[in-house]
Amino acid sequence: MTTFARDTIASAAEFIALDDRWSTHNYHPLPVVVAEAEGAFVTDVEGKRYLDFLSGYSALNFGHRHPELIAAAQEQLGRVTLTSRAFHHDQLGLFCQELAELTGTEMVLPMNSGAEAVESAVKVARKWAYQVKGVPDGMAEIVVAGSNFHGRTTTIVSFSNDETARADFGPFTPGFVTVKYGDSDALRDAITERTAAVLLEPIQGEAGVIVPPDGYFADARRFCDEAGALLIADEIQSGLARTGTVLALDHERVRADLYTLGKALGGGIMPLSALVGRGDVLGVLRPGEHGSTFGGNPLACAIGRAVLRLLGTGEFQQRSAALGAHLHDRLGELVGHGLAEVRGRGLWAGVDIAPGGPTGRQASEGLARRGVLCKETHDNTLRIAPPLVIDQEDLDRGLDAIAEVVRL
Ligand SMILES: *Cc1c(COP(=O)(O)O)cnc(C)c1O
């Protein structure tokens, strides 16, 4: 007989034991069991409050349960949630138009997860290469960067060089060429007449918030133009105000041909991703060639439109820029005092803990004990990405805790 023991569970430890027993072990979460959240704060099942310094890896740029996003979701829940793309609905076209206008692009392919947006970019770039550029069938290549993170599907891990993400998942999808991130010469040398696209993160989040050298993207743009290849920017983590601009690539004054968006696009409520860009490139897709049952559903589109309204005010971009300057000033002061290096842009930072200090995991655990939620990436790096709704006082409290733990 099935028993639903939920009401009888009292402690965080019991919930954690339940997860460990019944959910696959493909994550190593901190021992915090979240029950509620609002704005920049989450509360665990035992009533302890934490400051969220991770924001669901930028999926929660507008904080938890932003009232305007919740209102949009509730309004749409009262109307229609799913139609499939077998029919039109009254949110899709408006969402696509508003997203194209905000990003200065011409066409939108809505999907659900970030990985699906990247998969869509790979498919569209290949089809464009064969049909428009004239690459011989089956020969198209996509140039990617080492230490990239673009998602978890078999094709995407085919061009990852993270052994943990790849081991035992082969055989892999061919057609990818990897070059060192930030190295313009290597990128130029890798592009050939068979190159369909160059796919890059404007800032590599998972790798530790790695900002490439000035001019790297201007070079990438020029090489792509010279070779007739597409430049694809994966802005799933860096985009939508995280760095102080709608797109992180805006800082480089470079336009990509295609952008992948996700994470914050769904307001932390629904999975919502998109491939956006040039109409003549996205226009290669014909009926039946690509799709998703849930992609562009009315509920996600209504929430996405509310996200775009928030971004349209410019308030979150400004908050990221102003609070980000403060964040980087304060983290900079810790270099030589527990930190070896600080990188990032806007309200987004990767910090390397100095040798001899705690590991990233130990630091994350120390922060959790002090009521701040953060997560390591790699051994000695912390990724700091508070929601853009945080105020300076709370930001400072979190930074005080970071200053403490990295010196332990
Ligand atoms: C998170 C992420 C993805 C994958 O998104 P999912 O929604 O987890 O599939 C792809 N690219 C980048 C840069 C990301 O940060």
Side-chain angles (χ1 to χ4, degrees):
M1 199 181 93
T2 308
T3 53
F4 292 96
R6 228 163 168 272
D7 294 343
T8 67
I9 295 180
S11 72
E14 284 175 88
F15 282 107
I16 291 170
L18 203 55
D19 287 0
D20 284 348
R21 166 62 185 85
W22 293 102
S23 89
T24 55
H25 297 167
N26 51 325
Y27 281 93
H28 182 30
L30 291 168
V32 173
V33 183
V34 175
E36 286 174 33
E38 183 172 14
F41 288 91
V42 305
T43 306
D44 75 7
V45 288
E46 292 169 353
K48 179 172 172 172
R49 249 179 132 221
Y50 301 84
L51 198 48
D52 185 349
F53 256 41
L54 181 66
S55 306
Y57 303 99
S58 282
L60 291 155
N61 280 359
F62 312 99
H64 295 270
R65 297 168 53 241
H66 189 290
E68 288 179 39
L69 303 183
I70 294 293
Q74 279 170 341
E75 214 262 319
Q76 191 61 39
L77 282 169
R79 297 179 60 224
V80 60
T81 55
L82 187 69
T83 57
S84 84
R85 294 290 303 274
F87 314 107
H88 294 272
H89 64 78
D90 62 10
Q91 296 298 308
L92 178 70
L94 291 167
F95 167 69
C96 293
Q97 178 186 13
E98 289 158 9
L99 180 55
E101 286 176 356
L102 185 80
T103 54
T105 56
E106 296 168 341
M107 209 178 248
V108 173
L109 168 62
M111 298 293 285
N112 310 286
S113 67
E116 285 174 307
V118 174
E119 286 277 347
S120 303
V122 168
K123 288 174 73 175
V124 166
R126 285 177 169 183
K127 182 147 200 232
W128 174 87
Y130 299 128
Q131 295 219 327
V132 180
K133 182 171 173 174
V135 173
D137 189 38
M139 302 290 274
E141 287 180 347
I142 295 177
V143 180
V144 300
S147 66
N148 68 68
F149 182 84
H150 297 289
R152 302 297 200 169
T153 64
T154 38
T155 286
I156 293 172
V157 299
S158 296
F159 55 90
S160 166
N161 56 2
D162 174 350
E163 263 318 302
T164 310
R166 284 169 57 91
D168 295 330
F169 296 128
F172 298 111
T173 307
F176 299 95
V177 176
T178 306
V179 294
K180 186 166 176 252
Y181 187 64
D183 182 337
S184 291
D185 292 341
L187 182 59
R188 186 193 49 227
D189 293 347
I191 297 175
T192 71
E193 64 278 11
R194 295 187 348 213
T195 305
V198 172
L199 167 63
L200 296 168
E201 294 157 86
I203 293 176
Q204 288 191 326
E206 199 74 16
V209 194
I210 311 292
V211 182
D214 283 343
Y216 180 60
F217 274 92
D219 288 343
R221 178 71 271 175
R222 197 173 66 253
F223 303 151
C224 285
D225 288 342
E226 285 165 5
L230 303 172
L231 178 61
I232 307 173
D234 182 347
E235 294 259 12
I236 290 166
Q237 192 165 158
S238 60
L240 309 183
R242 175 49 64 188
T243 66
T245 45
V246 171
L247 300 164
L249 210 51
D250 296 346
H251 292 283
E252 316 287 340
R253 295 192 169 73
V254 168
R255 296 292 305 170
D257 301 298
L258 298 172
Y259 297 90
T260 53
L261 298 169
K263 292 201 165 100
L265 191 57
I269 301 174
M270 284 288 281
L272 175 59
S273 68
L275 176 63
V276 305
R278 274 169 50 185
D280 62 325
V281 177
L282 284 161
V284 300
L285 289 180
R286 309 306 312 160
E289 293 175 354
H290 190 56
S292 157
T293 303
F294 288 91
N297 70 74
L299 181 58
C301 285
I303 294 166
R305 293 183 65 206
V307 163
L308 297 171
R309 281 197 292 279
L310 292 182
L311 288 168
T313 67
E315 181 197 334
F316 295 90
Q317 294 87 313
Q318 280 165 25
R319 294 186 68 83
S320 175
L323 292 167
H326 181 68
L327 171 81
H328 284 279
D329 279 350
R330 283 211 52 195
L331 290 173
E333 290 165 10
L334 297 178
V335 174
H337 299 92
L339 294 184
E341 192 178 292
V342 178
R343 299 170 297 271
R345 192 165 262 162
L347 205 54
W348 195 23
V351 301
D352 294 343
I353 298 164
T359 64
R361 178 78 190 184
Q362 288 166 335
S364 301
E365 288 167 354
L367 284 170
R369 282 193 295 276
R370 287 166 176 77
V372 178
L373 296 183
C374 204
K375 192 77 166 62
E376 76 279 5
T377 175
H378 309 292
D379 291 346
N380 303 310
T381 303
L382 286 180
R383 176 170 18 185
I384 300 167
L388 308 179
V389 295
I390 197 169
D391 64 28
Q392 187 165 326
E393 203 181 313
D394 291 331
L395 180 62
D396 275 324
R397 286 204 308 113
L399 286 164
D400 291 344
I402 288 171
E404 252 177 67
V405 300
V406 297
R407 272 183 280 208
L408 290 181

